[in-house]
Amino acid sequence: MHLILNHSFIKKSEIVNEDGQATGRGAMKSKIVVIFCAYIPPYLGGIERYVDNLTKQFVKKAVKPVIVTSNFNQSADNETVNGVDIIRLPAYSLFLNRYPVFKLNRKYRSQMARLDQYRIDAIIVNTRFHLTSHIGANYGYRRNIPVFLIEHGSDYVTLNNGFIDFFANRYEDLLTWRLKKRVRGFYGVSNACNEWLKHFNIVSSGTWYNSIDCDQTVPERKNHTGIRMLYAGRLIKQKGVENILKAFEVLSLEYPDLTLTVAGDGPEMDYYQSRFKSDHIHFTGKLNFQQLLDEYAQTDIFLYPPLWPEGMPTSVLEAGLMKCCVIGTPMGGIKEIIKDHENGVLVGTTAEELKDAVALLIEDKKQRELYGSKLHDTVMQEFSWSVTAKKVLYDIGVGD
């Protein structure tokens, strides 16, 4: 018999049987879902935010989440945070911030063995190419636990090197082929992700939309002078940040009260700061969520024009929650949120097209506010974490 420690859905005084279920008077069966992901906060990206929000909803719905991840920042090997049990696996420092490779040593085996204390109802893994997905899929396959994969992308990952990308893509193909035998259902965070799965001859089982906490308290929109634009995300070429800066260079000559805030960090930060110098461009670096909400609250036009397909960008949903007018490109899941000239504007992938769209909205405050209001309604009705989590639990056979 085992005593489950830090199990928030089973009283510490209760004894659990060999299957990890509470027994005795007053014992309550709890559903347990294990989620494998390469990183969790404080590492902050789209996948990490997705998993963080999903587990919060699981806790609210009386489902116990257990996260298995890499120990990328020398944190505690095991801890419980806000009702979520976290198991961290030892990883090599090489490529750790991009692609964790795990040390298959005694500690690794000991950490994985901790999962055997739970009676697991389902396993969720994230992306096809991270090794955490394969570790989770193999664990579930060997123990006859159903495994479900969340697809977060809608194209191959690129390192901006054709030669390296070719072999990296073939490696991704191989990893996907191996996963197909061990995963019961594939779900995209957008319909664009589901279309991308067809490239690997995978028929999606459905869509688990990237969403936002629509019940959270957010700051009121703030009055300000001039026109304020904002980009929030990683500073990499694929995000179209350079197009934003080039468009701003031209627009600022005609509109002297125009300002641009670039929130985020990344490998192109130094280049952008040296190439685009202006008293009206503010590079903030990485902001925490509350700081970002404050930026949205005083933003007239939010710009998110990636050059390649993405899943379902959280920042566009956040901007919509805050009633910002959004201009984006029809890449990946963006076109599932933004309906061109209904609740926002979609443009091509050139700086010129972006500049023209911004200029029209600078001149039309009423239209900006209308797009922002309609996008807010879209987000509230279709992209709520409560709704998404309920669908996830139902699809994996854990919820009602």
Side-chain angles (χ1 to χ4, degrees):
M1 291 189 180
H2 307 281
L3 179 66
I4 292 186
L5 301 178
N6 294 326
H7 197 308
S8 60
F9 287 88
I10 297 177
K11 296 177 181 178
K12 290 183 179 180
S13 61
E14 291 174 348
I15 300 298
V16 297
N17 62 24
E18 293 180 356
D19 291 325
Q21 288 291 353
T23 61
R25 181 178 297 178
M28 178 183 69
K29 180 180 179 182
S30 59
K31 299 293 186 179
I32 300 174
V33 178
V34 176
I35 301 176
F36 284 78
C37 53
Y39 307 103
I40 61 173
Y43 187 103
L44 202 57
I47 297 175
E48 292 72 38
R49 288 182 180 181
Y50 188 104
V51 170
D52 185 51
N53 283 291
L54 194 63
T55 54
K56 287 176 181 176
Q57 291 296 324
F58 284 1
V59 171
K60 289 181 180 180
K61 298 178 188 302
V63 172
K64 178 67 178 179
V66 180
I67 292 178
V68 181
T69 187
S70 65
N71 197 347
F72 70 93
N73 62 343
Q74 303 304 308
S75 297
D77 291 332
N78 306 281
E79 62 180 331
T80 299
V81 180
N82 298 324
V84 181
D85 289 359
I86 301 172
I87 298 173
R88 295 185 175 91
L89 304 177
Y92 292 100
S93 58
L94 186 66
F95 304 127
L96 186 54
N97 289 327
R98 180 81 175 187
Y99 190 85
V101 177
F102 297 95
K103 300 178 180 179
L104 305 182
N105 54 19
R106 181 179 297 178
K107 177 179 281 189
Y108 172 90
R109 293 189 294 272
S110 173
Q111 289 295 89
M112 287 297 297
R114 287 179 174 272
L115 288 175
D116 295 333
Q117 71 180 315
Y118 303 96
R119 182 176 177 180
I120 302 169
D121 293 280
I123 291 174
I124 294 174
V125 299
N126 290 271
T127 75
R128 292 164 291 99
F129 49 85
H130 273 142
L131 294 180
T132 40
S133 294
H134 295 264
I135 293 169
N138 289 336
Y139 183 90
Y141 181 76
R142 291 168 182 165
R143 290 161 178 78
N144 199 31
I145 302 170
V147 179
F148 304 87
L149 183 140
I150 304 177
E151 178 63 37
H152 292 266
S154 52
D155 204 343
Y156 283 115
V157 175
T158 180
L159 298 174
N160 296 313
N161 182 304
F163 179 78
I164 295 176
D165 282 349
F166 174 82
F167 290 100
N169 295 346
R170 302 296 74 75
Y171 179 63
E172 184 175 335
D173 293 341
L174 174 63
L175 292 178
T176 303
W177 176 78
R178 295 184 64 182
L179 268 178
K180 287 167 67 174
K181 300 180 180 181
R182 291 169 168 76
V183 173
R184 178 173 297 186
F186 289 79
Y187 291 82
V189 300
S190 68
N191 293 330
C193 294
N194 293 338
E195 286 297 313
W196 173 234
L197 285 172
K198 293 179 181 178
H199 175 79
F200 304 97
N201 295 316
I202 296 172
V203 177
S204 168
S205 300
T207 305
W208 295 341
Y209 275 121
N210 190 13
S211 301
I212 196 166
D213 181 3
C214 294
D215 299 323
Q216 64 186 298
T217 301
V218 298
E220 294 288 334
R221 289 193 59 81
K222 301 173 183 176
N223 294 324
H224 54 266
T225 58
I227 301 295
R228 297 189 179 188
M229 301 196 306
L230 171 68
Y231 165 82
R234 291 198 72 211
L235 302 191
I236 56 177
K237 293 180 180 178
Q238 296 93 333
K239 297 288 188 179
V241 184
E242 190 161 354
N243 279 348
I244 293 175
L245 293 164
K246 287 180 177 178
F248 181 83
E249 270 190 325
V250 178
L251 289 165
S252 61
L253 298 176
E254 184 174 355
Y255 302 99
D257 60 348
L258 184 66
T259 60
L260 170 66
T261 297
V262 179
D265 201 355
E268 301 298 321
M269 168 73 93
D270 291 342
Y271 167 69
Y272 292 149
Q273 285 184 308
S274 61
R275 165 66 178 79
F276 300 95
K277 294 181 178 179
S278 169
D279 292 338
H280 297 280
I281 300 177
H282 308 293
F283 291 90
T284 68
K286 186 180 293 186
L287 300 178
N288 64 38
F289 183 62
Q290 189 57 53
Q291 291 171 323
L292 198 52
L293 286 180
D294 290 338
E295 289 293 340
Y296 289 126
Q298 51 190 334
T299 293
D300 297 292
I301 303 173
F302 181 75
L303 304 173
Y304 198 85
L307 307 180
W308 72 347
E310 296 194 355
M312 181 67 70
T314 303
S315 57
V316 174
L317 297 176
E318 292 170 345
L321 180 68
M322 295 301 298
K323 298 184 179 181
C324 300
C325 174
V326 175
I327 301 177
T329 50
M331 294 292 180
I334 295 176
K335 59 181 178 292
E336 296 172 48
I337 311 171
I338 304 296
K339 305 303 179 186
D340 190 29
H341 290 95
E342 292 183 18
N343 62 359
V345 178
L346 297 176
V347 299
T349 56
T350 68
E352 183 70 19
E353 290 167 294
L354 184 62
K355 174 187 71 67
D356 291 344
V358 171
L360 289 175
L361 289 173
I362 288 175
E363 298 286 354
D364 196 338
K365 179 180 180 181
K366 184 177 180 180
Q367 193 66 59
R368 292 198 309 267
E369 292 178 345
L370 178 62
Y371 286 155
S373 178
K374 287 191 172 183
L375 181 57
H376 174 80
D377 293 342
T378 299
V379 171
M380 296 292 287
Q381 294 166 13
E382 302 179 27
F383 300 98
S384 163
W385 270 120
S386 179
V387 173
T388 296
K390 184 177 181 179
K391 185 176 190 311
V392 171
L393 293 174
Y394 177 82
D395 288 345
I396 67 177
V398 172
D400 298 326

